[in-house]
Every structure is written in structure tokens, then in C-alpha cells.
Amino acid sequence: MFLFGFLWMFVFTQVQGLPYFNESDHLSPPKRLCRRLVPVALYAALLISFYATALKPFSNIVEIFRIPPVLYLLVLFVGFVAWLFLYIRSNFRKHCQKNSLPQENNRSQGTTARTVLPILITFICYAIMIAVSVIFETLHLQMNLMAMCYILVVIMSILALFSMVIYDGSLGRMTLDTEDGK
């Protein structure tokens, strides 16, 4: 299930970006189409040969169609959570800038705290994830393994996004000065 589900994602979304496929601009459209269909044909042949011989004939083939929708929904969820964190942070920053020092003075003060705090928060997020995993194991939750994986991935995504927002907010963005060769 996982092999062919993730292979589906690779064949239909990623393999077309490989340099071999991008160098086919000089080919005629039929040859270019044939080159694009080779990975799909290989995937289909591998899928049919595996499910026809290794498993009950095609009884579990619908399993491969579970992985791509879950991954796309997860990308939408993580994107929404990231947008939400960034929206909250920008509104919080706008609110705080009304009553604070100018940005240059604010950045120069407490540089050690600005460096240590994000690292500390990252370790706290990691500890929370471990604690959630231990709680799941201790309580012997009787749930589907996939459901448990989804829950853990969602929690980890939220914690990782929170940690990234803290890093971005406290360390700031770095820019390269390109004027006068500097």
C-alpha cells in the first residue's frame, strides 16, 4: 500500500521535474508525449505484476488510492495552519509595534535571549511530541494505526510550524547587501 501509494505520488507529480524530462523540448510532440508516458507505463506494469502475483489478485488494489488524497489533504491542512500562524504573528507584531521601541533598538537588546528562546521552544515542542507519543502508548489506545499516525502527524505539523514562526519572529530575516560589491 505505502510503496505504490508513494510511488503514485512520485510518478504523477515529481518525475516530470527531473532534468531528463526537461531536456525534451527539442523533440516533436508525439515523441515528447511518449517520453512522458514511460514512467506511467512502468508504474502500471509494476503495479499490475505485483498485485497479480504477490497478493490476492487485485483484491487490495484500492489501497494505493488512499495515500495521495491523504497527502494532499495534509498539505492543505499544514498550509492553512502555517497561514494562520503567520497571520496571528503579523497581527501581534503590528499591535506590539505601536507601543515599542524602534526596530533597530529592539533588535540590539537581548540578543542572547533572542537566540536561546527559539531553541528552547523547539526543544519544548519536541518534548510535547514525545509526551503525546508516550501517552498514546501508555493508554494503549485501541484505534486504527493510520488514524493514530494522522493524529501524530497533525500534532507534529502544528508544533513544527509554531517553532518555525518563533524562529522567524525572533531571529528575523537575513538579507544580503549587493550594493557596491558588499
Side-chain angles (χ1 to χ4, degrees):
M1 174 173 109
F2 288 107
L3 172 69
F4 288 106
F6 287 117
L7 196 58
W8 170 288
M9 294 296 293
F10 179 72
V11 166
F12 288 100
T13 62
Q14 301 297 317
V15 81
Q16 306 303 329
L18 294 175
Y20 173 77
F21 291 102
N22 292 334
E23 295 171 356
S24 63
D25 293 337
H26 64 281
L27 296 175
S28 64
K31 288 183 180 179
R32 193 176 317 140
L33 179 64
C34 287
R35 184 181 276 191
R36 300 269 182 192
L37 290 178
V38 167
V40 176
L42 288 174
Y43 173 77
L46 184 66
L47 179 76
I48 290 170
S49 66
F50 182 79
Y51 273 94
T53 58
L55 300 173
K56 295 178 186 173
F58 302 104
S59 64
N60 297 330
I61 200 163
V62 291
E63 291 177 345
I64 65 165
F65 298 109
R66 293 181 189 162
I67 300 292
V70 168
L71 288 176
Y72 283 122
L73 289 174
L74 188 62
V75 165
L76 290 174
F77 172 77
V78 169
F80 174 74
V81 171
W83 172 82
L84 186 65
F85 278 147
L86 292 173
Y87 178 77
I88 290 170
R89 190 196 65 175
S90 67
N91 284 341
F92 181 72
R93 189 179 277 175
K94 287 177 189 175
H95 178 70
C96 289
Q97 284 178 350
K98 291 179 185 176
N99 301 325
S100 68
L101 297 172
Q103 193 72 8
E104 294 82 25
N105 295 340
N106 208 5
R107 286 253 185 242
S108 64
Q109 296 174 351
T111 33
T112 305
R114 287 184 175 273
T115 305
V116 171
L117 184 65
I119 295 170
L120 181 65
I121 289 176
T122 301
F123 280 118
I124 290 170
C125 289
Y126 181 68
I128 290 170
M129 190 63 208
I130 290 173
V132 168
S133 299
V134 168
I135 289 170
F136 272 37
E137 184 65 29
T138 304
L139 295 178
H140 298 292
L141 294 176
Q142 297 297 323
M143 70 169 52
N144 188 350
L145 178 64
M146 292 302 291
M148 191 181 305
C149 287
Y150 296 147
I151 291 169
L152 291 174
V153 164
V154 165
I155 292 171
M156 184 62 191
S157 299
I158 291 170
L159 291 173
L161 288 168
F162 177 73
S163 183
M164 285 189 285
V165 167
I166 296 298
Y167 267 109
D168 184 48
S170 66
L171 298 178
R173 297 187 185 268
M174 295 179 63
T175 58
L176 298 175
D177 229 358
T178 57
E179 294 180 20
D180 299 329
K182 294 181 181 178

Short mmCIF file of all heavy atoms in Angstrom, two decimals, residues 2-3 7 11 13 23 28 31 43 47 65-66 83 85 93 96 105 110 112 130 137 140 142 164 166 172 178:
data_model
loop_
_atom_site.label_atom_id
_atom_site.label_comp_id
_atom_site.label_asym_id
_atom_site.label_seq_id
_atom_site.Cartn_x
_atom_site.Cartn_y
_atom_site.Cartn_z
N PHE A 2 1.83 1.34 0.93
CA PHE A 2 2.64 2.54 1.03
C PHE A 2 3.58 2.68 -0.16
O PHE A 2 3.75 3.77 -0.69
CB PHE A 2 3.43 2.55 2.34
CG PHE A 2 2.57 2.80 3.54
CD1 PHE A 2 2.27 1.77 4.41
CD2 PHE A 2 2.04 4.04 3.78
CE1 PHE A 2 1.47 1.99 5.51
CE2 PHE A 2 1.25 4.28 4.88
CZ PHE A 2 0.96 3.25 5.74
N LEU A 3 4.19 1.57 -0.56
CA LEU A 3 5.11 1.63 -1.69
C LEU A 3 4.42 2.17 -2.93
O LEU A 3 4.89 3.13 -3.54
CB LEU A 3 5.68 0.23 -1.97
CG LEU A 3 6.50 0.15 -3.26
CD1 LEU A 3 7.80 0.91 -3.11
CD2 LEU A 3 6.75 -1.29 -3.63
N LEU A 7 4.77 5.82 -4.55
CA LEU A 7 5.27 5.75 -5.93
C LEU A 7 4.31 6.46 -6.88
O LEU A 7 4.74 7.11 -7.83
CB LEU A 7 5.49 4.30 -6.34
CG LEU A 7 6.33 4.05 -7.57
CD1 LEU A 7 7.71 4.65 -7.41
CD2 LEU A 7 6.44 2.56 -7.84
N VAL A 11 5.50 9.34 -9.35
CA VAL A 11 5.36 9.22 -10.80
C VAL A 11 4.48 10.33 -11.38
O VAL A 11 4.79 10.90 -12.42
CB VAL A 11 4.79 7.83 -11.17
CG1 VAL A 11 4.32 7.78 -12.61
CG2 VAL A 11 5.83 6.76 -10.93
N THR A 13 3.61 13.33 -9.92
CA THR A 13 3.85 14.73 -9.56
C THR A 13 5.32 15.13 -9.61
O THR A 13 5.60 16.29 -9.88
CB THR A 13 3.33 15.04 -8.14
OG1 THR A 13 4.03 14.24 -7.19
CG2 THR A 13 1.84 14.80 -8.04
N GLU A 23 14.73 18.20 -20.73
CA GLU A 23 15.57 18.33 -21.91
C GLU A 23 14.87 17.86 -23.17
O GLU A 23 15.47 17.78 -24.22
CB GLU A 23 16.86 17.54 -21.72
CG GLU A 23 17.73 18.07 -20.61
CD GLU A 23 18.89 17.15 -20.29
OE1 GLU A 23 18.98 16.05 -20.89
OE2 GLU A 23 19.69 17.51 -19.42
N SER A 28 9.76 16.29 -31.04
CA SER A 28 8.43 16.55 -31.58
C SER A 28 7.38 16.20 -30.52
O SER A 28 7.65 15.40 -29.62
CB SER A 28 8.21 15.73 -32.86
OG SER A 28 8.23 14.36 -32.55
N LYS A 31 6.85 12.39 -29.73
CA LYS A 31 7.99 11.79 -29.01
C LYS A 31 8.04 12.29 -27.56
O LYS A 31 8.38 11.54 -26.65
CB LYS A 31 9.29 12.10 -29.73
CG LYS A 31 9.46 11.34 -31.01
CD LYS A 31 10.80 11.63 -31.64
CE LYS A 31 10.95 10.86 -32.94
NZ LYS A 31 12.23 11.12 -33.59
N TYR A 43 5.06 2.26 -14.08
CA TYR A 43 4.34 2.17 -12.82
C TYR A 43 3.16 1.21 -12.94
O TYR A 43 2.95 0.35 -12.08
CB TYR A 43 3.85 3.56 -12.40
CG TYR A 43 2.95 3.54 -11.19
CD1 TYR A 43 3.48 3.38 -9.91
CD2 TYR A 43 1.57 3.67 -11.33
CE1 TYR A 43 2.66 3.34 -8.80
CE2 TYR A 43 0.75 3.64 -10.22
CZ TYR A 43 1.29 3.48 -8.96
OH TYR A 43 0.47 3.44 -7.87
N LEU A 47 2.75 -2.26 -10.93
CA LEU A 47 1.57 -2.40 -10.08
C LEU A 47 0.78 -3.65 -10.44
O LEU A 47 0.44 -4.45 -9.56
CB LEU A 47 0.68 -1.16 -10.22
CG LEU A 47 -0.61 -1.15 -9.42
CD1 LEU A 47 -0.31 -0.86 -7.97
CD2 LEU A 47 -1.55 -0.11 -9.99
N PHE A 65 -4.94 3.96 -3.57
CA PHE A 65 -5.63 5.22 -3.80
C PHE A 65 -5.89 5.97 -2.50
O PHE A 65 -6.46 7.06 -2.52
CB PHE A 65 -6.95 4.98 -4.55
CG PHE A 65 -6.73 4.38 -5.90
CD1 PHE A 65 -7.09 3.07 -6.16
CD2 PHE A 65 -6.13 5.11 -6.91
CE1 PHE A 65 -6.87 2.51 -7.40
CE2 PHE A 65 -5.91 4.56 -8.15
CZ PHE A 65 -6.29 3.24 -8.40
N ARG A 66 -5.48 5.43 -1.36
CA ARG A 66 -5.66 6.12 -0.09
C ARG A 66 -4.55 7.12 0.19
O ARG A 66 -4.78 8.14 0.82
CB ARG A 66 -5.71 5.10 1.05
CG ARG A 66 -6.91 4.23 1.01
CD ARG A 66 -6.90 3.27 2.17
NE ARG A 66 -7.96 2.28 2.00
CZ ARG A 66 -8.01 1.15 2.63
NH1 ARG A 66 -7.05 0.83 3.49
NH2 ARG A 66 -8.99 0.31 2.43
N TRP A 83 -0.48 29.48 7.42
CA TRP A 83 -1.07 30.79 7.15
C TRP A 83 -1.67 31.38 8.43
O TRP A 83 -1.50 32.57 8.71
CB TRP A 83 -2.16 30.67 6.09
CG TRP A 83 -2.91 31.95 5.92
CD1 TRP A 83 -2.55 33.03 5.17
CD2 TRP A 83 -4.16 32.29 6.54
NE1 TRP A 83 -3.48 34.02 5.29
CE2 TRP A 83 -4.48 33.59 6.12
CE3 TRP A 83 -5.01 31.62 7.39
CZ2 TRP A 83 -5.64 34.24 6.55
CZ3 TRP A 83 -6.16 32.26 7.82
CH2 TRP A 83 -6.46 33.55 7.40
N PHE A 85 -0.82 30.76 11.60
CA PHE A 85 0.26 31.20 12.50
C PHE A 85 0.87 32.51 12.02
O PHE A 85 1.13 33.41 12.81
CB PHE A 85 1.34 30.14 12.61
CG PHE A 85 1.04 29.05 13.59
CD1 PHE A 85 1.48 27.77 13.36
CD2 PHE A 85 0.31 29.29 14.74
CE1 PHE A 85 1.21 26.75 14.25
CE2 PHE A 85 0.03 28.28 15.64
CZ PHE A 85 0.49 27.02 15.40
N ARG A 93 2.49 41.37 15.87
CA ARG A 93 3.62 42.27 15.65
C ARG A 93 3.15 43.68 15.40
O ARG A 93 3.73 44.65 15.92
CB ARG A 93 4.44 41.75 14.47
CG ARG A 93 5.75 42.48 14.30
CD ARG A 93 6.54 41.92 13.16
NE ARG A 93 7.27 40.75 13.63
CZ ARG A 93 8.00 39.98 12.84
NH1 ARG A 93 8.06 40.23 11.56
NH2 ARG A 93 8.64 38.96 13.32
N CYS A 96 2.08 45.10 18.74
CA CYS A 96 3.21 45.36 19.65
C CYS A 96 4.07 46.52 19.17
O CYS A 96 4.68 47.20 19.99
CB CYS A 96 4.07 44.12 19.79
SG CYS A 96 3.26 42.83 20.73
N ASN A 105 16.67 49.41 17.68
CA ASN A 105 16.98 49.34 19.10
C ASN A 105 16.41 48.07 19.71
O ASN A 105 17.01 47.47 20.59
CB ASN A 105 16.41 50.56 19.84
CG ASN A 105 17.09 51.84 19.40
OD1 ASN A 105 18.18 51.80 18.85
ND2 ASN A 105 16.44 52.97 19.64
N GLY A 110 18.95 42.23 24.06
CA GLY A 110 18.60 40.85 24.36
C GLY A 110 18.91 39.87 23.25
O GLY A 110 18.10 39.00 22.97
N THR A 112 21.05 37.48 23.19
CA THR A 112 21.20 36.13 23.72
C THR A 112 19.83 35.49 23.92
O THR A 112 19.62 34.33 23.55
CB THR A 112 21.97 36.15 25.05
OG1 THR A 112 23.22 36.80 24.84
CG2 THR A 112 22.22 34.75 25.56
N ILE A 130 6.99 13.99 22.15
CA ILE A 130 7.37 12.74 22.81
C ILE A 130 6.35 12.40 23.88
O ILE A 130 5.94 11.24 24.03
CB ILE A 130 8.80 12.84 23.39
CG1 ILE A 130 9.80 12.87 22.25
CG2 ILE A 130 9.09 11.68 24.33
CD1 ILE A 130 11.21 13.12 22.68
N GLU A 137 1.00 5.49 23.93
CA GLU A 137 1.49 4.14 24.22
C GLU A 137 1.03 3.67 25.60
O GLU A 137 0.67 2.52 25.78
CB GLU A 137 3.02 4.12 24.13
CG GLU A 137 3.63 2.76 24.32
CD GLU A 137 3.25 1.77 23.24
OE1 GLU A 137 2.99 2.20 22.10
OE2 GLU A 137 3.21 0.58 23.54
N HIS A 140 -2.65 2.65 25.81
CA HIS A 140 -2.99 1.53 24.92
C HIS A 140 -4.27 1.82 24.14
O HIS A 140 -5.23 1.05 24.17
CB HIS A 140 -3.14 0.22 25.70
CG HIS A 140 -1.90 -0.21 26.40
ND1 HIS A 140 -0.77 -0.62 25.73
CD2 HIS A 140 -1.59 -0.26 27.73
CE1 HIS A 140 0.18 -0.91 26.59
NE2 HIS A 140 -0.29 -0.71 27.81
N GLN A 142 -6.93 1.89 21.58
CA GLN A 142 -7.35 0.93 20.57
C GLN A 142 -7.93 1.70 19.39
O GLN A 142 -9.12 1.96 19.33
CB GLN A 142 -8.38 -0.04 21.15
CG GLN A 142 -7.87 -0.88 22.28
CD GLN A 142 -6.75 -1.80 21.83
OE1 GLN A 142 -6.75 -2.32 20.72
NE2 GLN A 142 -5.76 -1.98 22.69
N MET A 164 8.77 27.18 13.84
CA MET A 164 9.31 27.97 12.74
C MET A 164 8.90 29.43 12.83
O MET A 164 9.68 30.33 12.54
CB MET A 164 8.87 27.38 11.40
CG MET A 164 9.62 26.11 11.04
SD MET A 164 9.30 25.54 9.38
CE MET A 164 7.67 24.86 9.54
N ILE A 166 8.28 31.04 15.58
CA ILE A 166 9.09 31.62 16.66
C ILE A 166 10.50 31.93 16.15
O ILE A 166 11.05 33.00 16.43
CB ILE A 166 9.15 30.66 17.87
CG1 ILE A 166 7.76 30.48 18.48
CG2 ILE A 166 10.13 31.14 18.91
CD1 ILE A 166 7.15 31.74 19.03
N GLY A 172 14.62 37.03 12.97
CA GLY A 172 14.46 37.96 11.86
C GLY A 172 14.96 37.38 10.56
O GLY A 172 15.51 36.29 10.50
N THR A 178 23.87 43.78 -1.78
CA THR A 178 24.51 43.61 -3.07
C THR A 178 25.00 44.92 -3.66
O THR A 178 25.55 44.95 -4.74
CB THR A 178 23.53 42.94 -4.06
OG1 THR A 178 22.36 43.74 -4.15
CG2 THR A 178 23.19 41.53 -3.61
#
